[in-house]
Amino acid sequence: MNVIEKFLKSYSKEYDFYLKLAGMCAVQCENILEGSGIRAIVTYRAKRPDRLKEKLEKRIIDKKYKSVDAIYKDIVDLAGVRIAIYFPGDREEINNFIAKNFFIHSKKEFPSEATPSYDKRFSGYWAYHYRVSLQPEVLTDSNKRYTDAIVEIQVASVLMHAWSEVEHDLVYKPLSGELSVEEYQILDELNGLVLT
């Protein structure tokens, strides 16, 4: 059994833990958003083992994982929450509520400085990704085991999330072949409309 298989066997046993963690974080986000009058769609998930396998098989070439722990340290979005906001102007208020209600380990802003694989006219994915932990005081005694676990919260507009899903599936996880230059250009133009 190789290191990826060992990790997937371990993660499959913990899948429910990560799903519940993401669910608790999502409920907390929904409650805070409703209380502040911010319109958004909140969804959550735990990374599916079959999707993880594909991701790890690609990453192991560069990462050269030596242990299961090395994979757990590298894949930090096992539990994820997505906040799709109606109005991009609400981003700052959401940033404030995340800082107040969660322990933030890191925050990443997109677009990043990565060079795209084709000439783009538009900047691509616009979002904030937070790696957070739940604060112990909001957890019941039976849920204290979730205190140190990491959840990734992604915040972007509803339209940006939709565009990024399509782009991610077509560019990074195509079912067959690669996109043509024309298809890349169409995605880029759609990105421009979303940004507008």
Side-chain angles (χ1 to χ4, degrees):
M1 186 181 295
N2 67 32
V3 69
I4 292 177
E5 290 167 341
K6 287 178 185 173
F7 170 80
L8 291 172
K9 185 175 180 182
S10 169
Y11 177 68
S12 293
K13 293 175 187 172
E14 297 174 345
Y15 178 80
D16 290 339
F17 171 88
Y18 287 101
L19 187 60
K20 184 169 181 184
L21 170 65
M24 289 188 305
C25 183
V27 167
Q28 189 176 352
C29 290
E30 283 178 329
N31 291 339
I32 295 165
L33 289 168
E34 283 177 19
S36 64
I38 295 175
R39 298 201 54 187
I41 299 167
V42 179
T43 57
Y44 69 94
R45 60 100 183 113
K47 200 81 133 172
R48 287 187 1 219
D50 58 328
R51 289 282 181 103
L52 261 177
K53 184 177 182 187
E54 293 171 19
K55 182 175 186 172
L56 291 171
E57 286 172 347
K58 290 177 183 174
R59 288 173 79 110
I60 198 166
I61 296 164
D62 293 329
K63 300 287 183 173
K64 304 197 182 343
Y65 300 120
K66 300 286 187 221
S67 68
V68 169
D69 283 342
I71 296 175
Y72 273 109
K73 286 179 183 161
D74 184 45
I75 308 295
V76 292
D77 64 341
L78 295 174
V81 172
R82 187 174 273 176
I83 300 174
I85 53 179
Y86 286 38
F87 304 105
D90 289 334
R91 252 187 265 170
E92 196 55 43
E93 194 169 341
I94 289 175
N95 182 59
N96 293 337
F97 102 67
I98 289 174
K100 183 178 175 184
N101 292 282
F102 298 95
F103 177 76
I104 299 176
H105 297 274
S106 66
K107 176 183 173 185
K108 193 171 186 181
E109 292 185 35
F110 294 89
S112 64
E113 299 302 316
T115 306
S117 57
Y118 59 98
D119 275 341
K120 294 167 86 171
R121 288 179 51 209
F122 299 101
S123 56
Y125 182 59
W126 276 76
Y128 296 144
H129 288 196
Y130 302 83
R131 296 205 175 118
V132 305
S133 297
L134 302 174
Q135 293 182 351
E137 53 271 13
V138 301
L139 298 172
T140 62
D141 287 342
S142 62
N143 288 331
K144 292 292 185 198
R145 65 192 183 117
Y146 295 98
T147 301
D148 295 325
I150 304 288
V151 182
E152 182 174 82
I153 301 176
Q154 299 177 357
V155 180
S157 73
V158 171
L159 293 174
M160 184 57 70
H161 277 306
W163 174 83
S164 71
E165 281 293 317
V166 171
E167 196 237 10
H168 186 264
D169 287 351
L170 292 178
V171 175
Y172 298 105
K173 295 183 179 178
L175 294 176
S176 63
E178 286 191 28
L179 297 181
S180 68
V181 171
E182 291 81 15
E183 289 166 326
Y184 278 120
Q185 289 170 338
I186 290 169
L187 278 174
D188 189 38
E189 289 166 5
L190 287 171
N191 182 231
L193 290 171
V194 167
L195 290 169
T196 302

